């Protein structure tokens, strides 16, 4: 399977560990990712709030590039990119005025978008296209004993994803279980991570981070697994602030692709685990070699 | 014959669509659209038949010949036919007819088969509006007009041949510049 | 006027239908236009053609003007064709010399431009006039009606309909899918708003059904095939084996006590899985028929449904010389003949797992309303004590309204009964447990006799009502008081705040849905469904229990959510409609059958097309022969005949062609070829 790949800004910056772990895992499963040539900002977050039309035009340019690349599926690992690209696609189909704006803007740079590219998240592709059986076959170091709170955040399944339930997503749960880990029941799996609040209204943002970390700890999780670079950053980077406000609550947050890499036995250096402020120290037990 | 009265300024052209609706599903759905006061284009004229299986392809051709710009056939959804399988019979005929229409140069969008259940008043509205829009874009089919043109052309041709053969009984192999044909009296 | 021989004399009437037609179609203009068409002797517009004076007008005109064709432009023929045919017949004409034009449902109600609607009405009328000129006299055929009635579904609707018909002396077959009749009502504890005990008012009716000489009750059975037509249906019923002979079982239940399983072990369907039963069981004490049954999936003598003879068969010993237990019982298919059918198949409660945010299946103390009906019931699994799945007794209980109702993501409709049963359960739960009760609602809908008063009473009892659709039920505790509780997170839309309310028990007021197999049932009886899947009545106001198939009636929640009083009223109405049909003794059959013309070449193309095998082949004449008694009048063979040698009464080729021509002729030109067919 070949996909056009849209990394977005995070995966080249703060979320490098996501890309670092994603690429070898996908390669290991025989999936080819072809990074879009000359991609630009997806149009997420502040841009969308300031000028929706311009944000959609930005996203549409990426969709048009994907279409031109000849791939009919575009992989967007960052939950924010995934949301905006999907949103733009919906707007393009549902609102003629927005379509006209997009068409006009793209025409100015000799691009066109027909509206067919499927925007996919790696989680969806891994579980629904590759399949859990194929993934299980690649597991050489099962994550036996690791208790994981799966955390999806707000953007992945709401409102455009069709591959999971918006209130109670379970795709990552099934994936993590296939890796041999134990999933703890975590009722906050789609709550806000604090998002941009940590930068604008820090006391509200930090409180949200605390609630998420504290609930994961109370439920005995060794780590939180996430699908979004912003969630990972928020839950990882503010441990100090949480400590000064509420006391120590230390729970590492990893990308689900890092857990896959560990289970597949990929070299640790490839997985970017060391980049976290509070890195996951736990390692899967080395399987005993049967004596001849 | 009286001299024809001066025709009033012709209203803008809109398509005329003849519809054959089955009594049990689509005709009832059209009634439901009415009861629900849904609003749709006034371009469709419905003929009620008991089943879409009763739609003789000749009905469709006759409607087109008489000047319909499109024909819509409505039946029950597959598996729901009041008469078990009349709609399947229509479906099979429809495939054959579409091929024939294509050969006649009639675009397939002009003859449409739709499954509309008795509960789908909304769908009656949607299909009629959609088809009206499509035909409006395609423009008039005007088979009666075309027949008249063709008839005139053939009459013309026949007359010309008659004159030509009278003048030149034998074919020549030398090239001559085309001449202006003179209509016979 | 062109002279026609024999002269066609058409009377044309356009109906105003009050303002329904006249507001969008210029009726006088239509009449004036049609009046100058060939063959039209008179054209009138009139306020209400279907009224008595309207019908008398037609009759008078037939006599006075010697009309021999009548065309009425008004509403849908599906509504009033019968009416006008009868009027024409009363005027001395053959009723099939009448034709109807639909300018209400198909013109005035669906268009917004008066000129366009009027023009369309004229064109439709013109086509009808041309077609009417070709109409033939046809004989009216009478077919006797079988007086038996099939009632499908033994809930309160089916029970009431069956008893009404049986009391009127008709024979009724009552078919129930479950082992006992009673339906959902049998599971309820009390009924709102009077709080009378459901079992106390239902079980006498159930035993009356069981004992009535005019009712054949087949439970544990399914209707598998329906053939025929109004007045003469042939129905095949599959009787699934209960492994107990119904004739021999006395209902003593000694077998149950002596089952090899000393304790009940398997989830009890009647108690919504909250209680246990044995492999040999009776659904509930008042079950009708009072006959036990064996569940072959769990009985030791079977292995997942297959007979193995492994058990000691202590039940057989206990039954003794009654010899009612029969492990070899096989499925049987019975065939019955009836004249009318009442479908009362009920509803399915909404599957609450479709709203995962309410935690059913995740948190043990989240219940469906039907489970709570059993929980508060004195004969239920806890004898009416409110003991939770984890053994605790609740001190605070939340009832969430509109679960699976009024929600674009699940079902859009209001399920009509949930507000009232939620209040009833709130009252009962408070009475049984003394807990604090919180109702979370969108709107309180209490539009029945004594319903609003019941709401007032609940308010006075101190039950809390919080207006807002609950966001989620969670065990995520933010403060120590919430630890170990279920927390309701909701926006209180009256106070304008988001609340967190800790409770011990959550009741989901599940909405009502069509059965999962409603589509299959609909096909079986040739009915229609609305988009949501409930069976469609013939007319939402004027034919609420009839369907589009003559002789098939609907009652109860299979047609849409409703409470017990409405269900019983509707069941009575369906029984009355069925009675009116069968007491007539005969039906008039629409003479729209196909017939073979003299020039049939005997190609046999039509033979395999007929789904009713009505077409035979006469080897002597080498021509196809149509059995008009079997022909249902679809016309498929007519359209398919390569030589045009099959006709269809009421839908002859020349009639349809003339209608097409009438629809498309540009100007109203006289047509000299117009002549009546003998």
């Amino acid at each position: 399977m070949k996909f056009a790949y849209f990394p977005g800004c995070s995966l080249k910056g703060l979320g490098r560990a996501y890309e670092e772990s994603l690429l070898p895992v996908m390669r290991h499963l025989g999936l080819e990712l072809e990074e879009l040539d000359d991609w630009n900002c997806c149009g997420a977050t502040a841009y969308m709030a300031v000028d929706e039309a311009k944000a959609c035009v930005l996203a549409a340019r990426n969709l048009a590039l994907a279409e031109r690349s000849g791939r009919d599926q575009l992989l967007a690992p960052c939950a924010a990119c995934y949301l905006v690209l999907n949103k733009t696609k919906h707007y393009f189909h549902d609102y003629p005025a927005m379509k006209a704006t997009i068409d006009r803007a793209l025409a100015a740079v000799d691009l066109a978008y027909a509206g067919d590219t499927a925007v996919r998240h790696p989680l969806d592709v891994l579980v629904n296209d590759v399949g859990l059986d194929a993934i299980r076959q690649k597991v050489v170091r099962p994550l036996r004993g690791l208790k994981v709170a799966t955390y999806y955040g707000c953007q992945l399944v709401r409102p455009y994803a069709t591959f999971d339930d918006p209130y109670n997503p379970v795709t990552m749960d099934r994936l993590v279980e296939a890796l041999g880990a134990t999933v703890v029941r975590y009722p906050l799996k789609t709550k806000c991570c604090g998002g941009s609040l940590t930068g604008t209204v820090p006391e509200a943002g930090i409180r949200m981070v605390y609630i998420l970390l504290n609930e994961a700890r109370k439920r005995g999780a060794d780590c939180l697994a996430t699908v979004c670079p912003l969630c990972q950053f928020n839950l990882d980077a503010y441990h100090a602030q949480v400590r000064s406000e509420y006391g120590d609550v230390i729970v590492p947050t990893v990308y689900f692709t890092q857990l896959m890499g560990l289970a597949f036995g990929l070299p640790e250096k490839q997985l970017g685990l060391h980049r976290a402020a509070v890195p996951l120290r736990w390692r899967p037990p080395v399987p005993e070699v049967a004596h001849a | 014959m009286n001299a024809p009265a001066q025709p009033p300024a012709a209203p803008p052209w809109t398509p005329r669509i003849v519809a054959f609706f089955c009594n049990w599903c689509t005709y009832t759905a059209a009634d439901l659209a009415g009861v629900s006061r849904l609003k749709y284009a006034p371009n469709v004229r419905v003929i009620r038949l008991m089943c879409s299986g009763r739609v003789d392809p000749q009905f469709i051709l006759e409607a087109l010949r008489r000047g319909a710009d499109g024909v819509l056939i409505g039946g029950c959804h597959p598996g729901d036919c009041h008469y078990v399988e009349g709609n399947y019979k229509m479906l099979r005929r429809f495939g054959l007819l579409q091929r024939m229409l294509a050969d006649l140069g009639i675009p397939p969008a002009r003859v449409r088969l739709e499954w509309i259940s008795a509960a789908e008043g909304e769908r009656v509205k949607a299909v009629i509006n959609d088809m009206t829009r499509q035909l409006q874009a395609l423009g008039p089919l005007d088979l009666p007009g075309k027949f008249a043109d063709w008839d005139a052309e053939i009459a013309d041709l026949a007359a010309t041949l008659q004159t030509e053969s009278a003048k030149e009984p034998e074919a020549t192999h030398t090239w001559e510049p085309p001449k202006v044909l003179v209509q016979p009296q | 006027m062109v002279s026609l021989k024999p002269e066609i004399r058409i009377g044309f009437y356009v109906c105003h239908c009050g303002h329904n037609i006249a507001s969008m179609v210029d009726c006088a203009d239509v009449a004036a236009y049609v009046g100058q068409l060939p063959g039209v002797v008179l054209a009138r517009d009139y306020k209400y053609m279907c009224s008595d004076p309207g019908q008398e007008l037609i009759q008078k005109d037939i006599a006075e003007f010697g009309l021999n064709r009548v065309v009425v432009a008004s509403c849908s023929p599906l509504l009033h064709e019968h009416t006008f045919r009868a009027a024409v017949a009363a005027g001395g004409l053959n009723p099939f010399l009448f034709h109807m034009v639909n300018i209400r449902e198909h013109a005035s109600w669906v268009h917004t431009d008066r000129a366009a609607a009027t023009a369309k009405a004229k064109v439709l009328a013109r086509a009808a006039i041309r077609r009417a000129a070709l109409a033939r006299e046809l004989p009216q055929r009478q077919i006797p009606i079988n007086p038996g009635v099939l009632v499908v579904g033994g809930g309160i609707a089916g029970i009431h309909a069956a008893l009404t018909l049986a009391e009127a002396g008709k024979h009724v077959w009552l078919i129930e899918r479950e082992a006992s009749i009673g339906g959902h009502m049998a599971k309820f504890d009390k009924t709102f708003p009077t709080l009378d005990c459901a079992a106390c008012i239902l079980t006498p009716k159930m035993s009356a059904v069981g004992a009535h000489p005019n009712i054949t009750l087949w439970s544990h059975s399914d209707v598998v095939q329906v053939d025929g037509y109004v007045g003469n249906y042939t129905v095949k019923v599959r009787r699934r084996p209960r492994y107990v002979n119904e004739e021999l079982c006395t209902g003593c239940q000694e077998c149950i006590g002596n089952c090899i399983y000393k304790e009940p072990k398997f989830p009890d369907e009647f108690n919504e899985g909250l209680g246990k039963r044995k492999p040999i069981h009776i659904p509930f004490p008042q079950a009708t028929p009072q006959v036990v049954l064996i569940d072959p999936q769990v009985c030791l003598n079977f292995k997942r449904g297959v007979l193995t003879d492994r058990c000691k068969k202590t039940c057989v010993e206990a039954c003794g010389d009654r010899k009612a237990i029969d492990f070899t019982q096989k499925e049987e298919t019975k065939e019955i003949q009836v004249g009318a059918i009442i479908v009362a198949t009920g509803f399915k409660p909404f599957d609450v797992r479709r709203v995962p945010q309410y935690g059913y299946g995740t948190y043990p103390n989240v219940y469906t309303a039907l489970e709570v009906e059993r929980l508060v019931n004195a004969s239920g699994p806890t004898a009416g004590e409110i003991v939770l799945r984890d053994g605790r007794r609740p001190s605070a209980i939340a009832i969430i309204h509109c679960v699976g109702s009024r929600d674009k993501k699940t079902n859009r409709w209001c399920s009509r009964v949930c507000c009232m049963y939620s209040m009833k359960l709130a009252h009962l739960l408070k009475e049984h447990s003394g807990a604090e009760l919180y109702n979370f609602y969108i709107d309180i809908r209490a539009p029945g006799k004594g319903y609003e008063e019941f709401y007032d009473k609940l308010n006075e009892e101190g039950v809390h009502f919080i207006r807002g659709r609950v966001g989620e039920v969670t065990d995520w505790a933010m403060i120590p008081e919430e630890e170990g509780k279920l927390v309701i997170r909701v926006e209180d839309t009256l106070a304008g705040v988001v609340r967190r309310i800790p409770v011990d028990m959550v009741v989901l007021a599940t909405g009502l849905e069509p059965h999962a197999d409603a589509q299959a049932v609909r096909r079986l009886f040739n009915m229609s469904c609305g988009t949501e899947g409930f069976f469609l009545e013939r007319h939402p106001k004027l034919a609420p229990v009839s369907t589009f198939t003559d002789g098939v009636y609907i009652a109860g929640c299979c047609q849409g959510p409703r409470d017990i009083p409405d269900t019983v009223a509707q069941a009575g109405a369906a029984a009355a409609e069925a009675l009116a049909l069968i007491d007539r003794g005969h039906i008039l059959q629409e003479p729209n059958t196909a017939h073979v013309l003299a020039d049939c070449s005997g190609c046999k193309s039509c033979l395999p097309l007929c789904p009713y095998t009505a077409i035979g082949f006469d080897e002597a004449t080498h021509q196809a022969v149509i059995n008009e008694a079997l022909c249902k009048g679809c016309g498929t063979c007519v359209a398919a005949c390569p030589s045009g040698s099959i006709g269809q009464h009421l839908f002859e080729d020349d009639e349809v062609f003339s209608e097409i021509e009438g629809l498309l002729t540009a100007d109203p030109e006289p047509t000299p070829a117009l002549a009546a067919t003998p």
Side-chain angles (χ1 to χ4, degrees):
Chain A
M1 274 184 275
K2 276 192 182 177
F3 294 87
Y5 166 53
F6 178 78
C9 62
S10 295
L11 270 75
K12 298 293 181 188
L14 274 174
R16 268 168 77 184
Y18 196 0
E19 181 173 69
E20 283 170 345
S21 55
L22 174 75
L23 296 182
V25 162
M26 296 303 253
R27 207 174 310 124
H28 196 69
L29 287 164
L31 297 164
E32 263 183 70
L33 304 190
E34 194 179 83
E35 186 169 327
L36 277 191
D37 186 32
D38 193 31
W39 57 267
N40 53 262
C41 167
C42 72
T45 55
Y47 217 138
M48 193 50 103
V50 174
D51 188 336
E52 212 171 40
K54 289 205 180 87
C56 285
V57 166
L58 280 176
R61 181 173 180 275
N62 294 316
L63 292 169
L65 289 177
E67 224 165 60
R68 201 174 63 180
S69 77
R71 304 264 166 262
D72 52 359
Q73 305 202 55
L74 177 65
L75 202 68
C78 167
C81 303
Y82 178 78
L83 174 72
V84 171
L85 292 169
N86 267 310
K87 182 176 183 168
T88 301
K89 200 177 148 188
H90 274 264
Y91 279 20
F92 183 83
H93 287 293
D94 294 349
Y95 304 110
M98 185 62 90
K99 180 179 184 306
T101 307
I102 290 173
D103 286 342
R104 206 168 52 241
L106 292 180
V109 290
D110 287 333
L111 278 172
Y113 177 51
D116 299 325
T117 319
V119 180
R120 307 280 309 271
H121 193 270
L123 190 59
D124 176 18
V125 170
L126 286 166
V127 174
N128 297 317
D129 293 13
V130 176
L132 294 176
D133 285 336
I135 288 171
R136 254 182 231 113
Q137 280 173 15
K138 295 280 182 191
V139 172
V140 294
R141 296 181 66 183
L143 309 182
R144 212 156 283 135
L146 181 68
K147 286 195 233 155
V148 182
T150 52
Y151 177 63
Y152 298 75
C154 63
Q155 303 195 91
L156 181 68
V157 287
R158 286 184 296 213
Y160 296 115
T162 47
F163 68 88
D164 211 337
D165 187 280
Y167 293 99
N168 184 31
V170 292
T171 312
M172 190 170 20
D173 302 31
R174 293 165 60 211
L175 176 65
V176 168
E177 272 168 0
L179 302 177
T182 310
V183 173
V184 301
R185 225 185 47 70
Y186 188 59
L188 307 183
K189 51 166 74 164
T190 60
K191 290 283 177 305
C192 173
C193 69
S196 347
L197 280 175
T198 44
T200 51
V201 191
E203 49 297 359
I206 299 300
R207 180 163 179 268
M208 285 169 159
V209 172
Y210 161 71
I211 287 173
L212 290 176
L213 293 178
N214 190 44
E215 196 64 23
R217 186 192 59 174
K218 270 168 70 180
R219 289 171 189 266
D222 298 317
C223 68
L224 281 147
T226 178
V227 295
C228 168
L230 185 62
C231 296
Q232 198 278 336
F233 175 77
N234 267 329
L235 296 177
D236 181 41
Y238 293 100
H239 272 85
Q241 285 88 330
V242 168
R243 185 196 301 127
S244 65
E245 196 70 33
Y246 302 98
D248 243 343
V249 193
I250 297 172
V251 185
T253 301
V254 297
Y255 294 106
F256 72 104
T257 44
Q258 293 176 315
L259 292 181
M260 293 181 78
L262 283 178
F264 291 173
L266 301 180
E268 245 179 64
K269 283 218 180 93
Q270 280 189 9
L271 303 176
L273 283 159
H274 57 286
R275 295 198 188 275
V278 180
L280 175 68
R281 304 266 175 229
W282 185 92
R283 291 294 176 270
V286 180
E288 282 178 33
V289 182
H291 292 286
Chain B
M1 289 292 273
N2 296 335
Q6 197 61 33
W13 176 84
T14 59
R16 295 197 294 175
I17 303 168
V18 171
F20 297 95
F21 283 175
C22 87
N23 181 66
W24 304 98
C25 287
T26 314
Y27 194 88
T28 311
D31 278 3
L32 176 64
V35 171
S36 318
R37 309 295 200 275
L38 306 177
K39 303 298 176 198
Y40 56 77
N43 301 54
V44 169
R45 294 135 190 214
V46 179
I47 292 178
R48 181 172 69 104
L49 296 171
M50 293 313 284
C51 179
S52 55
R54 175 67 181 94
V55 180
D56 190 326
Q58 292 184 78
F59 295 170
I60 299 165
L61 294 172
E62 173 74 1
L64 296 173
R65 188 176 80 82
R66 291 262 174 206
D69 299 294
V71 175
L72 171 63
I73 303 123
C76 307
H77 283 273
D80 288 353
C81 177
H82 189 84
Y83 301 104
V84 190
E85 50 193 28
N87 50 0
Y88 289 118
K89 305 282 158 51
M90 181 58 220
L91 181 63
R92 278 199 270 169
R93 265 177 232 152
F94 184 72
L96 292 171
L97 182 72
Q98 282 289 27
R99 277 204 256 167
M100 190 175 141
L101 291 173
D103 288 347
L104 292 171
I106 297 172
R110 291 205 183 262
V111 179
R112 191 157 159 174
L113 175 61
E114 290 284 347
W115 309 134
I116 304 178
S117 82
E120 295 177 313
E122 278 285 350
R123 198 160 156 64
V124 170
K125 170 187 163 174
V127 165
I128 288 179
N129 282 344
D130 184 57
M131 191 168 178
T132 305
R133 239 190 332 266
Q134 268 189 13
L135 294 184
Q136 189 79 46
L138 277 175
L141 176 63
D142 191 25
L143 279 190
K146 284 191 183 119
F147 287 149
D149 287 351
W150 295 334
D151 284 350
E153 224 173 282
I154 285 177
D156 223 38
L157 204 64
T160 309
L161 285 174
Q162 222 168 19
T163 338
E164 295 274 298
S165 58
K167 238 193 272 176
E168 291 170 36
E170 280 169 70
T172 56
H173 296 283
T174 50
W175 182 85
E176 284 173 33
K179 26 188 156 169
V180 178
L181 298 176
V182 181
Q183 293 281 341
Q185 289 304 313
Chain C
M1 183 66 58
V2 187
S3 89
L4 302 159
K5 264 187 189 178
E7 197 187 5
I8 295 293
R9 299 182 63 81
I10 304 175
F12 175 76
Y13 303 85
V14 53
C15 176
H16 293 206
C17 195
H19 288 295
N20 284 309
I21 295 172
S23 64
M24 191 47 67
V25 170
D26 184 342
C27 296
D29 187 27
V30 173
Y33 170 73
V34 172
Q36 43 87 39
L37 293 177
V40 177
V41 174
L42 68 89
R44 298 181 192 275
D45 61 305
Y46 188 74
K47 210 154 192 63
Y48 288 106
M49 282 311 298
C50 62
S51 66
D52 282 348
Q55 296 186 44
E56 280 159 19
L57 183 66
I58 295 176
Q59 288 156 24
K60 203 164 76 26
D61 287 347
I62 291 173
E64 198 169 316
F65 295 90
L67 303 181
N68 54 19
R69 300 287 189 282
V70 172
V71 174
V72 173
S74 57
C75 51
S76 170
L78 302 185
L79 197 64
H80 270 314
E81 193 173 50
H82 289 304
T83 314
F84 292 121
R85 274 184 183 167
V88 167
L93 272 188
N94 183 286
F96 303 102
L97 297 175
F98 163 78
H99 193 71
M100 195 161 174
V101 190
N102 186 346
I103 59 165
R104 193 179 73 174
E105 283 83 347
H106 289 195
S108 71
W109 275 352
V110 288
H111 301 321
T112 46
D113 180 297
R114 193 169 154 88
T118 304
K120 179 170 171 180
K122 283 183 192 172
V123 164
L124 292 174
R126 180 176 66 197
I129 296 291
R130 298 222 174 180
R131 188 191 209 285
L134 299 173
R136 284 89 158 157
E137 287 192 11
L138 291 169
Q140 183 80 273
R141 283 202 297 150
Q142 282 193 357
I143 294 174
I145 289 182
N146 183 315
V149 182
L150 167 71
V151 176
V152 189
I156 181 59
I159 289 172
H160 187 77
L163 282 174
T164 308
L165 288 160
E167 284 299 304
K170 307 298 170 201
H171 195 89
V172 178
W173 280 268
L174 178 59
I175 311 297
E176 166 59 44
R177 168 152 52 185
E178 303 295 334
S180 168
I181 57 169
H184 282 103
M185 186 177 170
K187 297 185 177 185
F188 299 162
D189 181 41
K190 301 275 167 57
T191 56
F192 60 77
T194 47
L195 295 176
D196 38 5
C197 142
C200 313
I201 56 178
L202 177 64
T203 45
K205 291 188 81 118
M206 288 168 58
S207 8
V209 166
H212 208 291
N214 282 344
I215 298 179
T216 304
L217 168 59
W218 287 344
S219 67
H220 212 50
S221 303
D222 315 282
V223 176
V224 288
Q225 197 182 327
V226 179
D227 289 312
Y229 49 91
V230 53
N232 296 275
Y233 286 108
T234 303
V235 181
K236 285 200 177 122
V237 180
R238 178 175 59 213
R239 307 215 56 205
R240 279 175 275 125
R242 6 179 11 128
Y243 305 105
V244 172
N245 186 317
E246 274 182 49
E247 312 294 320
L248 302 176
C249 176
T250 59
C252 70
Q253 304 180 28
E254 278 174 36
C255 49
I256 302 178
N258 285 286
C259 176
I260 200 95
Y261 282 99
K262 286 283 161 275
E263 291 301 320
K265 194 177 164 207
F266 305 99
D268 169 4
E269 294 86 353
F270 183 74
N271 281 320
E272 295 290 301
L274 295 174
K276 301 267 188 262
R277 62 158 169 84
K278 294 183 179 182
I280 190 161
H281 64 286
I282 190 154
F284 54 102
Q286 305 89 342
T288 306
Q290 275 283 312
V291 177
V292 297
L293 76 158
I294 293 172
D295 177 355
Q297 294 302 315
V298 295
C299 172
L300 269 190
N301 208 36
F302 292 85
K303 189 172 186 187
R304 273 184 242 90
V306 181
L307 190 62
T308 55
D309 273 325
R310 289 190 304 165
C311 179
K312 285 197 291 183
K313 302 184 186 61
T314 43
C315 54
V316 179
E317 278 169 36
C319 192
D321 51 11
R322 281 164 290 207
K323 293 188 170 43
I325 296 173
D326 175 7
F327 287 108
T328 62
Q329 202 174 53
K330 292 276 173 298
E331 184 178 294
E332 276 182 283
T333 302
K334 303 245 185 184
E335 194 174 284
I336 54 175
Q337 311 285 334
V338 294
I341 298 173
I342 295 176
V343 178
T345 48
F347 68 96
K348 171 173 87 68
F350 173 78
D351 177 7
V352 290
R353 285 169 206 272
R354 283 171 60 196
V355 279
Q357 64 269 36
Y358 291 165
Y360 184 87
T362 306
Y363 306 118
N365 294 340
V366 179
Y367 289 82
T368 67
L370 209 49
E371 287 171 344
V372 177
E373 293 280 359
R374 298 312 303 152
L375 211 54
V376 294
N377 196 300
S379 64
T382 57
E385 301 268 329
I386 311 302
V387 183
L388 298 179
R389 285 197 178 97
D390 62 5
R392 289 191 296 163
R393 283 161 196 272
S395 57
I397 302 172
I399 302 181
I400 303 179
H401 292 215
C402 297
V403 178
S405 305
R406 305 183 70 194
D407 181 359
K408 279 187 183 172
K409 294 198 187 76
T410 54
N411 298 325
R412 296 187 60 156
W413 59 88
C414 166
S415 294
R416 280 185 62 180
V417 293
C418 325
C419 280
M420 291 309 298
Y421 80 58
S422 295
M423 288 194 262
K424 171 194 76 181
L425 290 177
H427 170 86
L428 295 172
L429 284 166
K430 198 168 176 67
E431 192 176 74
H432 289 231
S433 71
E436 282 298 315
L437 258 296
Y438 299 90
N439 277 274
F440 298 92
Y441 67 100
I442 306 177
D443 298 293
I444 291 292
R445 295 193 166 169
K449 195 172 174 182
Y451 290 10
E452 184 68 17
E453 296 90 319
F454 190 70
Y455 177 36
D456 287 344
K457 172 179 145 85
L458 267 279
N459 270 310
E460 281 158 24
E461 284 175 7
V463 170
H464 307 288
F465 287 87
I466 296 172
R467 185 170 176 276
R469 188 188 271 284
V470 170
E472 67 173 347
V473 175
T474 179
D475 62 351
W476 156 44
M478 282 186 73
I479 48 171
E481 292 74 42
E482 292 176 351
E483 294 290 346
K485 298 258 185 182
L486 292 170
V487 179
I488 307 292
R489 301 217 312 138
V490 61
E491 181 191 357
D492 181 335
T493 56
L494 292 182
V497 294
V498 176
R499 291 188 188 280
R500 293 175 64 95
I501 296 175
V503 296
D504 305 295
M505 175 188 191
V506 175
V507 182
L508 305 180
T510 44
L512 276 53
E513 284 189 333
H515 275 293
D517 61 352
Q519 290 293 330
V521 173
R522 172 179 77 77
R523 293 209 173 99
L524 199 56
F525 296 101
N526 213 337
M527 298 184 290
S528 292
C529 274
T531 38
E532 71 297 299
F534 290 113
F535 301 143
L536 200 63
E537 63 281 2
R538 191 180 199 119
H539 190 279
K541 291 169 188 69
L542 300 180
V545 298
S546 305
T547 67
F548 289 102
T549 300
D550 288 336
V552 176
Y553 305 95
I554 45 178
C557 289
C558 63
Q559 187 252 346
R562 55 176 43 77
D563 58 14
I564 295 168
D566 285 6
T567 296
V568 171
Q570 209 188 11
E577 295 274 357
L579 272 179
L581 171 77
I582 53 187
D583 271 355
R584 214 185 300 146
H586 65 267
I587 45 151
L588 296 175
Q589 203 194 28
E590 183 83 358
N592 56 12
T593 46
H595 53 96
V596 178
L597 305 174
D599 58 356
C600 168
S601 65
C603 75
K604 299 188 185 176
S605 305
C606 54
L607 299 187
L609 291 178
C610 180
Y612 307 104
T613 58
I615 311 179
F617 192 73
D618 185 341
E619 294 293 348
T621 61
H622 207 70
Q623 286 190 328
V625 191
I626 290 176
N627 179 343
E628 293 205 13
L630 292 178
C631 175
K632 302 271 194 300
C634 64
T636 299
C637 58
V638 189
C641 177
S643 57
S645 306
I646 308 182
Q648 183 187 11
H649 298 307
L650 292 176
F651 295 92
E652 298 291 0
D653 278 347
D654 59 355
E655 292 174 334
V656 179
F657 281 127
S658 69
E659 199 173 346
I660 296 171
E661 190 191 351
L663 288 180
L664 294 165
T665 307
D667 304 302
E669 48 176 24
T671 324
L674 217 59
T677 315

